[in-house]
mmCIF file of all heavy atoms in Angstrom:
data_model
loop_
_atom_site.group_PDB
_atom_site.id
_atom_site.type_symbol
_atom_site.label_atom_id
_atom_site.label_comp_id
_atom_site.label_asym_id
_atom_site.label_seq_id
_atom_site.Cartn_x
_atom_site.Cartn_y
_atom_site.Cartn_z
ATOM 1 N N ASP U 195 20.370 4.302 -10.922
ATOM 2 C CA ASP U 195 20.123 4.961 -12.206
ATOM 3 C C ASP U 195 18.664 4.553 -12.751
ATOM 4 O O ASP U 195 18.076 5.308 -13.389
ATOM 5 C CB ASP U 195 21.083 4.494 -13.246
ATOM 6 C CG ASP U 195 22.510 4.986 -12.821
ATOM 7 O OD1 ASP U 195 22.835 6.067 -13.104
ATOM 8 O OD2 ASP U 195 23.217 4.152 -12.279
ATOM 9 N N GLY U 196 18.140 3.358 -12.318
ATOM 10 C CA GLY U 196 16.978 2.892 -12.839
ATOM 11 C C GLY U 196 16.249 1.978 -11.904
ATOM 12 O O GLY U 196 16.784 1.386 -11.047
ATOM 13 N N LEU U 197 14.949 2.080 -11.935
ATOM 14 C CA LEU U 197 14.001 1.271 -11.122
ATOM 15 C C LEU U 197 12.970 0.603 -12.038
ATOM 16 O O LEU U 197 12.317 1.297 -12.884
ATOM 17 C CB LEU U 197 13.270 2.083 -10.091
ATOM 18 C CG LEU U 197 12.105 1.473 -9.347
ATOM 19 C CD1 LEU U 197 12.643 0.397 -8.420
ATOM 20 C CD2 LEU U 197 11.341 2.476 -8.345
ATOM 21 N N ILE U 198 12.675 -0.717 -11.862
ATOM 22 C CA ILE U 198 11.706 -1.346 -12.600
ATOM 23 C C ILE U 198 10.651 -1.819 -11.691
ATOM 24 O O ILE U 198 10.939 -2.498 -10.681
ATOM 25 C CB ILE U 198 12.282 -2.666 -13.267
ATOM 26 C CG1 ILE U 198 13.459 -2.311 -14.298
ATOM 27 C CG2 ILE U 198 11.191 -3.425 -14.144
ATOM 28 C CD1 ILE U 198 14.176 -3.505 -14.881
ATOM 29 N N VAL U 199 9.453 -1.413 -12.007
ATOM 30 C CA VAL U 199 8.283 -1.712 -11.155
ATOM 31 C C VAL U 199 7.423 -2.706 -12.062
ATOM 32 O O VAL U 199 6.750 -2.258 -12.878
ATOM 33 C CB VAL U 199 7.423 -0.467 -10.828
ATOM 34 C CG1 VAL U 199 6.146 -0.762 -9.880
ATOM 35 C CG2 VAL U 199 8.389 0.454 -9.962
ATOM 36 N N ASP U 200 7.571 -3.982 -11.711
ATOM 37 C CA ASP U 200 6.916 -4.971 -12.515
ATOM 38 C C ASP U 200 5.845 -5.678 -11.792
ATOM 39 O O ASP U 200 5.949 -6.331 -10.778
ATOM 40 C CB ASP U 200 8.071 -6.008 -12.892
ATOM 41 C CG ASP U 200 7.528 -7.153 -13.891
ATOM 42 O OD1 ASP U 200 6.367 -7.106 -14.178
ATOM 43 O OD2 ASP U 200 8.386 -7.959 -14.322
ATOM 44 N N GLY U 201 4.578 -5.482 -12.230
ATOM 45 C CA GLY U 201 3.387 -6.058 -11.595
ATOM 46 C C GLY U 201 3.131 -5.541 -10.201
ATOM 47 O O GLY U 201 2.672 -6.274 -9.358
ATOM 48 N N GLY U 202 3.497 -4.325 -9.909
ATOM 49 C CA GLY U 202 3.423 -3.857 -8.559
ATOM 50 C C GLY U 202 2.072 -3.160 -8.194
ATOM 51 O O GLY U 202 1.399 -2.680 -9.102
ATOM 52 N N SER U 203 1.774 -3.159 -6.808
ATOM 53 C CA SER U 203 0.663 -2.477 -6.341
ATOM 54 C C SER U 203 1.153 -1.156 -5.641
ATOM 55 O O SER U 203 2.401 -1.121 -5.350
ATOM 56 C CB SER U 203 0.048 -3.290 -5.250
ATOM 57 O OG SER U 203 -1.015 -2.491 -4.598
ATOM 58 N N PRO U 204 0.429 -0.070 -5.554
ATOM 59 C CA PRO U 204 0.961 1.163 -4.925
ATOM 60 C C PRO U 204 1.504 0.934 -3.538
ATOM 61 O O PRO U 204 2.421 1.559 -3.187
ATOM 62 C CB PRO U 204 -0.307 2.052 -4.801
ATOM 63 C CG PRO U 204 -1.118 1.489 -6.010
ATOM 64 C CD PRO U 204 -0.921 0.037 -6.030
ATOM 65 N N SER U 205 0.959 -0.039 -2.775
ATOM 66 C CA SER U 205 1.447 -0.220 -1.331
ATOM 67 C C SER U 205 0.832 -1.538 -0.736
ATOM 68 O O SER U 205 0.017 -2.203 -1.429
ATOM 69 C CB SER U 205 0.909 0.919 -0.436
ATOM 70 O OG SER U 205 -0.520 0.894 -0.384
ATOM 71 N N PHE U 206 1.260 -1.974 0.392
ATOM 72 C CA PHE U 206 0.800 -3.159 0.978
ATOM 73 C C PHE U 206 -0.645 -2.949 1.508
ATOM 74 O O PHE U 206 -1.527 -3.740 1.382
ATOM 75 C CB PHE U 206 1.606 -3.464 2.251
ATOM 76 C CG PHE U 206 3.046 -3.881 2.073
ATOM 77 C CD1 PHE U 206 4.169 -3.150 2.443
ATOM 78 C CD2 PHE U 206 3.308 -5.096 1.293
ATOM 79 C CE1 PHE U 206 5.421 -3.545 2.210
ATOM 80 C CE2 PHE U 206 4.599 -5.465 1.076
ATOM 81 C CZ PHE U 206 5.651 -4.702 1.477
ATOM 82 N N LYS U 207 -0.883 -1.610 1.867
ATOM 83 C CA LYS U 207 -2.290 -1.361 2.261
ATOM 84 C C LYS U 207 -3.240 -1.473 1.011
ATOM 85 O O LYS U 207 -4.367 -1.996 1.051
ATOM 86 C CB LYS U 207 -2.469 0.003 2.883
ATOM 87 C CG LYS U 207 -3.830 0.340 3.208
ATOM 88 C CD LYS U 207 -3.958 1.755 3.868
ATOM 89 C CE LYS U 207 -3.440 1.764 5.297
ATOM 90 N NZ LYS U 207 -3.807 3.061 6.021
ATOM 91 N N ALA U 208 -2.708 -1.068 -0.112
ATOM 92 C CA ALA U 208 -3.516 -1.080 -1.365
ATOM 93 C C ALA U 208 -3.854 -2.485 -1.692
ATOM 94 O O ALA U 208 -5.041 -2.845 -2.204
ATOM 95 C CB ALA U 208 -2.878 -0.403 -2.555
ATOM 96 N N LEU U 209 -2.867 -3.447 -1.478
ATOM 97 C CA LEU U 209 -3.072 -4.860 -1.741
ATOM 98 C C LEU U 209 -4.193 -5.429 -0.777
ATOM 99 O O LEU U 209 -5.051 -6.217 -1.165
ATOM 100 C CB LEU U 209 -1.819 -5.622 -1.464
ATOM 101 C CG LEU U 209 -0.751 -5.778 -2.593
ATOM 102 C CD1 LEU U 209 0.355 -6.442 -2.111
ATOM 103 C CD2 LEU U 209 -1.394 -6.472 -3.782
ATOM 104 N N ALA U 210 -4.057 -4.995 0.449
ATOM 105 C CA ALA U 210 -5.042 -5.373 1.485
ATOM 106 C C ALA U 210 -6.516 -5.018 0.979
ATOM 107 O O ALA U 210 -7.402 -5.792 1.012
ATOM 108 C CB ALA U 210 -4.739 -4.886 2.811
ATOM 109 N N LEU U 211 -6.611 -3.732 0.740
ATOM 110 C CA LEU U 211 -7.888 -3.250 0.332
ATOM 111 C C LEU U 211 -8.450 -3.956 -0.992
ATOM 112 O O LEU U 211 -9.683 -4.083 -1.149
ATOM 113 C CB LEU U 211 -7.919 -1.765 0.022
ATOM 114 C CG LEU U 211 -7.649 -0.949 1.318
ATOM 115 C CD1 LEU U 211 -7.271 0.587 0.937
ATOM 116 C CD2 LEU U 211 -8.848 -0.916 2.212
ATOM 117 N N LEU U 212 -7.595 -4.260 -1.871
ATOM 118 C CA LEU U 212 -7.980 -5.023 -3.103
ATOM 119 C C LEU U 212 -8.585 -6.249 -2.914
ATOM 120 O O LEU U 212 -9.550 -6.611 -3.527
ATOM 121 C CB LEU U 212 -6.716 -5.138 -3.979
ATOM 122 C CG LEU U 212 -6.835 -5.899 -5.297
ATOM 123 C CD1 LEU U 212 -7.880 -5.098 -6.273
ATOM 124 C CD2 LEU U 212 -5.509 -6.109 -6.075
ATOM 125 N N PHE U 213 -8.028 -7.018 -1.955
ATOM 126 C CA PHE U 213 -8.541 -8.467 -1.767
ATOM 127 C C PHE U 213 -9.498 -8.505 -0.608
ATOM 128 O O PHE U 213 -10.023 -9.645 -0.429
ATOM 129 C CB PHE U 213 -7.337 -9.391 -1.508
ATOM 130 C CG PHE U 213 -6.588 -9.610 -2.693
ATOM 131 C CD1 PHE U 213 -5.395 -8.843 -2.950
ATOM 132 C CD2 PHE U 213 -6.941 -10.493 -3.662
ATOM 133 C CE1 PHE U 213 -4.605 -9.087 -4.106
ATOM 134 C CE2 PHE U 213 -6.238 -10.648 -4.889
ATOM 135 C CZ PHE U 213 -4.982 -9.989 -5.067
ATOM 136 N N ALA U 214 -9.592 -7.602 0.218
ATOM 137 C CA ALA U 214 -10.487 -7.572 1.400
ATOM 138 C C ALA U 214 -11.929 -7.448 1.146
ATOM 139 O O ALA U 214 -12.240 -6.548 0.216
ATOM 140 C CB ALA U 214 -10.080 -6.640 2.544
ATOM 141 N N PRO U 215 -12.818 -8.091 1.904
ATOM 142 C CA PRO U 215 -14.288 -7.693 1.725
ATOM 143 C C PRO U 215 -14.554 -6.198 2.279
ATOM 144 O O PRO U 215 -13.837 -5.841 3.188
ATOM 145 C CB PRO U 215 -14.994 -8.751 2.520
ATOM 146 C CG PRO U 215 -13.964 -9.240 3.462
ATOM 147 C CD PRO U 215 -12.650 -9.147 2.871
ATOM 148 N N PRO U 216 -15.505 -5.520 1.767
ATOM 149 C CA PRO U 216 -15.772 -4.115 2.093
ATOM 150 C C PRO U 216 -15.886 -4.005 3.628
ATOM 151 O O PRO U 216 -15.601 -3.035 4.227
ATOM 152 C CB PRO U 216 -16.995 -3.755 1.355
ATOM 153 C CG PRO U 216 -17.120 -4.718 0.237
ATOM 154 C CD PRO U 216 -16.480 -5.983 0.676
ATOM 155 N N GLU U 217 -16.504 -4.990 4.330
ATOM 156 C CA GLU U 217 -16.822 -4.774 5.815
ATOM 157 C C GLU U 217 -15.562 -4.546 6.569
ATOM 158 O O GLU U 217 -15.644 -4.094 7.715
ATOM 159 C CB GLU U 217 -17.784 -5.967 6.206
ATOM 160 C CG GLU U 217 -17.130 -7.339 6.175
ATOM 161 C CD GLU U 217 -17.528 -8.001 4.843
ATOM 162 O OE1 GLU U 217 -17.925 -7.264 3.883
ATOM 163 O OE2 GLU U 217 -17.577 -9.118 4.789
ATOM 164 N N VAL U 218 -14.387 -5.033 6.100
ATOM 165 C CA VAL U 218 -13.216 -4.839 6.931
ATOM 166 C C VAL U 218 -12.325 -3.781 6.508
ATOM 167 O O VAL U 218 -11.186 -3.487 7.098
ATOM 168 C CB VAL U 218 -12.375 -6.168 7.015
ATOM 169 C CG1 VAL U 218 -13.212 -7.302 7.727
ATOM 170 C CG2 VAL U 218 -11.872 -6.665 5.629
ATOM 171 N N HIS U 219 -12.730 -2.978 5.386
ATOM 172 C CA HIS U 219 -11.945 -1.898 4.958
ATOM 173 C C HIS U 219 -11.712 -0.893 6.006
ATOM 174 O O HIS U 219 -10.518 -0.329 6.111
ATOM 175 C CB HIS U 219 -12.634 -1.275 3.757
ATOM 176 C CG HIS U 219 -12.407 -2.096 2.514
ATOM 177 N ND1 HIS U 219 -12.533 -1.529 1.212
ATOM 178 C CD2 HIS U 219 -11.998 -3.308 2.311
ATOM 179 C CE1 HIS U 219 -12.364 -2.455 0.313
ATOM 180 N NE2 HIS U 219 -12.020 -3.493 0.935
ATOM 181 N N PRO U 220 -12.622 -0.511 6.860
ATOM 182 C CA PRO U 220 -12.367 0.390 7.936
ATOM 183 C C PRO U 220 -11.204 -0.014 8.902
ATOM 184 O O PRO U 220 -10.416 0.915 9.362
ATOM 185 C CB PRO U 220 -13.683 0.607 8.742
ATOM 186 C CG PRO U 220 -14.668 0.130 7.756
ATOM 187 C CD PRO U 220 -13.995 -0.909 6.940
ATOM 188 N N TYR U 221 -11.073 -1.291 9.175
ATOM 189 C CA TYR U 221 -9.946 -1.744 10.014
ATOM 190 C C TYR U 221 -8.640 -1.560 9.298
ATOM 191 O O TYR U 221 -7.681 -1.188 9.858
ATOM 192 C CB TYR U 221 -10.190 -3.167 10.398
ATOM 193 C CG TYR U 221 -11.482 -3.326 11.193
ATOM 194 C CD1 TYR U 221 -12.631 -3.986 10.608
ATOM 195 C CD2 TYR U 221 -11.494 -3.028 12.554
ATOM 196 C CE1 TYR U 221 -13.816 -4.230 11.384
ATOM 197 C CE2 TYR U 221 -12.609 -3.140 13.346
ATOM 198 C CZ TYR U 221 -13.832 -3.809 12.723
ATOM 199 O OH TYR U 221 -14.981 -3.893 13.432
ATOM 200 N N ILE U 222 -8.599 -1.892 7.975
ATOM 201 C CA ILE U 222 -7.375 -1.788 7.223
ATOM 202 C C ILE U 222 -6.947 -0.237 7.219
ATOM 203 O O ILE U 222 -5.812 -0.028 7.415
ATOM 204 C CB ILE U 222 -7.686 -2.221 5.840
ATOM 205 C CG1 ILE U 222 -7.941 -3.762 5.753
ATOM 206 C CG2 ILE U 222 -6.406 -1.978 4.852
ATOM 207 C CD1 ILE U 222 -8.576 -4.252 4.449
ATOM 208 N N GLU U 223 -7.899 0.610 6.970
ATOM 209 C CA GLU U 223 -7.584 2.074 6.851
ATOM 210 C C GLU U 223 -7.011 2.491 8.190
ATOM 211 O O GLU U 223 -6.170 3.363 8.207
ATOM 212 C CB GLU U 223 -8.884 2.855 6.382
ATOM 213 C CG GLU U 223 -9.345 2.581 4.935
ATOM 214 C CD GLU U 223 -8.431 3.113 3.944
ATOM 215 O OE1 GLU U 223 -7.322 3.705 4.320
ATOM 216 O OE2 GLU U 223 -8.822 3.022 2.715
ATOM 217 N N GLN U 224 -7.612 2.065 9.289
ATOM 218 C CA GLN U 224 -7.202 2.497 10.592
ATOM 219 C C GLN U 224 -5.989 1.964 11.153
ATOM 220 O O GLN U 224 -5.156 2.625 11.769
ATOM 221 C CB GLN U 224 -8.330 2.363 11.562
ATOM 222 C CG GLN U 224 -8.058 3.116 13.037
ATOM 223 C CD GLN U 224 -9.317 3.011 13.868
ATOM 224 O OE1 GLN U 224 -10.331 2.555 13.435
ATOM 225 N NE2 GLN U 224 -9.081 3.443 15.094
ATOM 226 N N TYR U 225 -5.792 0.599 10.972
ATOM 227 C CA TYR U 225 -4.725 -0.026 11.699
ATOM 228 C C TYR U 225 -3.620 -0.443 10.862
ATOM 229 O O TYR U 225 -2.524 -0.798 11.389
ATOM 230 C CB TYR U 225 -5.362 -1.316 12.381
ATOM 231 C CG TYR U 225 -6.375 -0.994 13.362
ATOM 232 C CD1 TYR U 225 -7.663 -1.617 13.355
ATOM 233 C CD2 TYR U 225 -6.179 -0.096 14.383
ATOM 234 C CE1 TYR U 225 -8.628 -1.320 14.211
ATOM 235 C CE2 TYR U 225 -7.188 0.166 15.403
ATOM 236 C CZ TYR U 225 -8.354 -0.426 15.344
ATOM 237 O OH TYR U 225 -9.323 -0.187 16.173
ATOM 238 N N MET U 226 -3.737 -0.540 9.545
ATOM 239 C CA MET U 226 -2.499 -0.930 8.740
ATOM 240 C C MET U 226 -1.707 0.269 8.237
ATOM 241 O O MET U 226 -2.167 1.229 7.765
ATOM 242 C CB MET U 226 -2.958 -1.724 7.529
ATOM 243 C CG MET U 226 -3.495 -3.195 7.909
ATOM 244 S SD MET U 226 -3.832 -4.229 6.462
ATOM 245 C CE MET U 226 -4.198 -5.707 7.259
ATOM 246 N N HIS U 227 -0.400 0.057 8.455
ATOM 247 C CA HIS U 227 0.507 1.197 8.086
ATOM 248 C C HIS U 227 1.725 0.533 7.472
ATOM 249 O O HIS U 227 2.339 -0.373 7.722
ATOM 250 C CB HIS U 227 1.047 1.824 9.379
ATOM 251 C CG HIS U 227 -0.013 2.407 10.199
ATOM 252 N ND1 HIS U 227 -0.771 3.614 9.973
ATOM 253 C CD2 HIS U 227 -0.596 1.897 11.420
ATOM 254 C CE1 HIS U 227 -1.548 3.863 10.877
ATOM 255 N NE2 HIS U 227 -1.620 2.786 11.750
ATOM 256 N N ASP U 228 2.085 1.159 6.246
ATOM 257 C CA ASP U 228 3.110 0.641 5.390
ATOM 258 C C ASP U 228 4.436 1.057 5.873
ATOM 259 O O ASP U 228 4.584 2.281 6.019
ATOM 260 C CB ASP U 228 2.930 1.189 3.955
ATOM 261 C CG ASP U 228 1.702 0.551 3.312
ATOM 262 O OD1 ASP U 228 1.606 -0.685 3.130
ATOM 263 O OD2 ASP U 228 0.694 1.173 2.907
ATOM 264 N N PRO U 229 5.402 0.266 6.114
ATOM 265 C CA PRO U 229 6.766 0.520 6.517
ATOM 266 C C PRO U 229 7.566 1.131 5.300
ATOM 267 O O PRO U 229 8.482 1.944 5.547
ATOM 268 C CB PRO U 229 7.383 -0.746 6.917
ATOM 269 C CG PRO U 229 6.669 -1.799 6.207
ATOM 270 C CD PRO U 229 5.207 -1.324 6.059
ATOM 271 N N TYR U 230 7.119 0.881 4.141
ATOM 272 C CA TYR U 230 7.633 1.357 2.938
ATOM 273 C C TYR U 230 6.630 0.985 1.838
ATOM 274 O O TYR U 230 5.969 -0.004 1.873
ATOM 275 C CB TYR U 230 9.179 0.857 2.656
ATOM 276 C CG TYR U 230 9.213 -0.666 2.835
ATOM 277 C CD1 TYR U 230 8.820 -1.600 1.842
ATOM 278 C CD2 TYR U 230 9.739 -1.201 3.969
ATOM 279 C CE1 TYR U 230 8.967 -2.949 1.993
ATOM 280 C CE2 TYR U 230 9.859 -2.518 4.165
ATOM 281 C CZ TYR U 230 9.536 -3.401 3.189
ATOM 282 O OH TYR U 230 9.784 -4.784 3.424
ATOM 283 N N SER U 231 6.604 1.806 0.670
ATOM 284 C CA SER U 231 5.794 1.498 -0.302
ATOM 285 C C SER U 231 6.205 2.167 -1.641
ATOM 286 O O SER U 231 7.044 3.139 -1.632
ATOM 287 C CB SER U 231 4.347 1.966 -0.045
ATOM 288 O OG SER U 231 4.262 3.451 0.035
ATOM 289 N N VAL U 232 5.709 1.728 -2.690
ATOM 290 C CA VAL U 232 6.108 2.300 -4.054
ATOM 291 C C VAL U 232 5.467 3.745 -4.146
ATOM 292 O O VAL U 232 6.207 4.610 -4.510
ATOM 293 C CB VAL U 232 5.420 1.444 -5.165
ATOM 294 C CG1 VAL U 232 5.610 2.159 -6.556
ATOM 295 C CG2 VAL U 232 5.959 0.050 -5.243
ATOM 296 N N GLU U 233 4.231 3.854 -3.678
ATOM 297 C CA GLU U 233 3.655 5.203 -3.889
ATOM 298 C C GLU U 233 4.314 6.253 -2.895
ATOM 299 O O GLU U 233 4.265 7.371 -3.316
ATOM 300 C CB GLU U 233 2.146 5.171 -3.564
ATOM 301 C CG GLU U 233 1.746 4.791 -2.133
ATOM 302 C CD GLU U 233 0.243 4.729 -1.963
ATOM 303 O OE1 GLU U 233 -0.464 5.062 -2.966
ATOM 304 O OE2 GLU U 233 -0.231 4.329 -0.885
ATOM 305 N N GLU U 234 4.918 5.913 -1.911
ATOM 306 C CA GLU U 234 5.619 6.840 -0.994
ATOM 307 C C GLU U 234 6.999 7.083 -1.541
ATOM 308 O O GLU U 234 7.512 8.199 -1.340
ATOM 309 C CB GLU U 234 5.673 6.200 0.452
ATOM 310 C CG GLU U 234 6.312 7.164 1.458
ATOM 311 C CD GLU U 234 7.814 7.006 1.491
ATOM 312 O OE1 GLU U 234 8.359 6.032 1.129
ATOM 313 O OE2 GLU U 234 8.543 8.096 1.889
ATOM 314 N N ALA U 235 7.645 6.084 -2.224
ATOM 315 C CA ALA U 235 9.034 6.203 -2.639
ATOM 316 C C ALA U 235 9.159 7.005 -3.928
ATOM 317 O O ALA U 235 10.024 7.886 -4.091
ATOM 318 C CB ALA U 235 9.589 4.747 -2.857
ATOM 319 N N LEU U 236 8.189 6.879 -4.860
ATOM 320 C CA LEU U 236 8.312 7.604 -6.189
ATOM 321 C C LEU U 236 8.457 9.143 -6.071
ATOM 322 O O LEU U 236 9.357 9.558 -6.814
ATOM 323 C CB LEU U 236 7.066 7.214 -7.074
ATOM 324 C CG LEU U 236 7.065 5.756 -7.536
ATOM 325 C CD1 LEU U 236 5.711 5.563 -8.359
ATOM 326 C CD2 LEU U 236 8.253 5.341 -8.437
ATOM 327 N N PRO U 237 7.755 9.757 -5.262
ATOM 328 C CA PRO U 237 8.019 11.215 -5.236
ATOM 329 C C PRO U 237 9.321 11.648 -4.721
ATOM 330 O O PRO U 237 9.776 12.788 -4.875
ATOM 331 C CB PRO U 237 6.870 11.700 -4.208
ATOM 332 C CG PRO U 237 5.866 10.686 -4.266
ATOM 333 C CD PRO U 237 6.622 9.361 -4.475
ATOM 334 N N ARG U 238 10.080 10.669 -4.196
ATOM 335 C CA ARG U 238 11.388 11.083 -3.586
ATOM 336 C C ARG U 238 12.484 10.858 -4.622
ATOM 337 O O ARG U 238 13.710 11.083 -4.280
ATOM 338 C CB ARG U 238 11.731 10.213 -2.367
ATOM 339 C CG ARG U 238 10.746 10.537 -1.175
ATOM 340 C CD ARG U 238 10.597 9.420 -0.228
ATOM 341 N NE ARG U 238 11.938 9.075 0.417
ATOM 342 C CZ ARG U 238 12.198 7.829 0.958
ATOM 343 N NH1 ARG U 238 11.216 7.004 1.106
ATOM 344 N NH2 ARG U 238 13.388 7.511 1.485
ATOM 345 N N LEU U 239 12.148 10.361 -5.744
ATOM 346 C CA LEU U 239 13.237 10.033 -6.853
ATOM 347 C C LEU U 239 13.344 11.196 -7.778
ATOM 348 O O LEU U 239 12.472 11.780 -8.342
ATOM 349 C CB LEU U 239 12.649 8.882 -7.757
ATOM 350 C CG LEU U 239 12.503 7.467 -7.054
ATOM 351 C CD1 LEU U 239 12.002 6.459 -8.076
ATOM 352 C CD2 LEU U 239 13.678 7.100 -6.213
ATOM 353 N N ASN U 240 14.640 11.781 -7.741
ATOM 354 C CA ASN U 240 14.966 12.785 -8.643
ATOM 355 C C ASN U 240 15.969 12.360 -9.714
ATOM 356 O O ASN U 240 15.849 12.813 -10.945
ATOM 357 C CB ASN U 240 15.569 13.966 -7.838
ATOM 358 C CG ASN U 240 14.712 14.469 -6.791
ATOM 359 O OD1 ASN U 240 13.601 15.043 -7.268
ATOM 360 N ND2 ASN U 240 14.927 14.445 -5.560
#
């Protein structure tokens, strides 16, 4: 019936990009894949 998203980031990848130095962002974008995430789940909620 309800979901509480408290202090959440959109995804694990988003967390990685938030804390990583810019020089490693291309590796994160290419090699990191989220097994599940808030941003992927929300559109599936009806």
Side-chain angles (χ1 to χ4, degrees):
D195 299 277
L197 169 66
I198 302 174
V199 178
D200 186 354
S203 175
S205 65
F206 294 115
K207 179 180 282 190
L209 274 175
L211 291 169
L212 176 63
F213 290 100
E217 57 267 25
V218 298
H219 283 199
Y221 298 106
I222 298 168
E223 294 286 4
Q224 184 172 359
Y225 297 127
M226 287 192 174
H227 305 283
D228 290 299
Y230 44 83
S231 71
V232 176
E233 64 182 357
E234 184 275 333
L236 289 178
R238 296 159 56 199
L239 300 180
N240 296 302

